[in-house]
Amino acid sequence: ETHQIGASGSDVLIKVLETDISPELVPGKSADAPDQKTENVIGPYELQDFNLYYTLRFGLTPTKVAFLALSAWGDRDAGSWPEGPHVARNQYSLADIKKNLGIFLYRFFKTSQFKRSCIPNGPKVGSGGSLSPRGDWRAPSDSEATVWMEELKNIPGQ
């Protein structure tokens, strides 16, 4: 939106950001909208990125991650936000945070480990650690989410 790479470059980047992410290789009924949207399955990307970062980078428990998420996302009118027409300023209740944290914990610790043994090489981005099995991250393919899901129960529903 600042046009630092020119107007046409900015237009391309905005179109990319506005494109829904879908696991489908076949387009949806219309060229602009896939039939399946990943966010509908895993929850809001911004929350799941937040959950991943604080769980992986700092090893925080679900109760601490939920507290931080509520502090960050609980009131859209609090704090400072970047300006621009594409800034969503989303707000999430504790119930939404708990639900999506549960989805993250189950998928990350229980169901997604097998994928880490066959992923292609990729760059390490950020200081949160790499999820590549050839780099920082080592996790058994048969791990359980039990301990994490039990800790999730300590978060109140509201």
Side-chain angles (χ1 to χ4, degrees):
E1 292 172 347
T2 62
H3 300 289
Q4 293 179 26
I5 57 172
S8 62
S10 292
D11 291 344
V12 168
L13 290 177
I14 288 171
K15 281 190 91 111
V16 169
L17 289 172
E18 290 174 342
T19 302
D20 289 319
I21 297 173
S22 172
E24 295 178 351
L25 297 176
V26 179
K29 292 177 182 72
S30 77
D32 296 335
D35 286 337
Q36 181 181 358
K37 296 179 184 175
T38 302
E39 268 187 305
N40 293 346
V41 176
I42 67 166
Y45 295 129
E46 58 201 7
L47 272 184
Q48 300 304 27
D49 286 348
F50 189 94
N51 295 334
L52 176 65
Y53 181 77
Y54 284 100
T55 301
L56 184 63
R57 176 75 169 105
F58 298 107
L60 300 182
T61 62
T63 50
K64 182 70 173 188
V65 173
F67 171 79
L68 293 174
L70 186 62
S71 298
W73 301 99
D75 182 0
R76 74 171 45 98
D77 296 323
S80 61
W81 291 77
E83 296 300 326
H86 295 92
V87 177
R89 291 190 183 211
N90 292 323
Q91 176 175 309
Y92 301 101
S93 68
L94 185 56
D96 290 334
I97 290 168
K98 182 177 181 178
K99 173 187 162 208
N100 288 292
L101 182 56
I103 292 168
F104 164 76
L105 293 171
Y106 185 80
R107 290 177 61 91
F108 187 78
F109 289 107
K110 175 68 176 165
T111 66
S112 67
Q113 300 307 325
F114 76 94
K115 295 178 185 176
R116 294 203 173 76
S117 62
C118 61
I119 62 171
N121 290 329
K124 180 175 177 179
V125 180
S127 62
S130 167
L131 293 178
S132 169
R134 295 163 199 87
D136 301 342
W137 184 252
R138 296 287 187 262
S141 60
D142 59 349
S143 67
E144 291 291 333
T146 308
V147 173
W148 297 92
M149 300 306 286
E150 284 299 316
E151 172 71 15
L152 184 72
K153 292 177 183 176
N154 293 328
I155 301 169
Q158 298 185 38

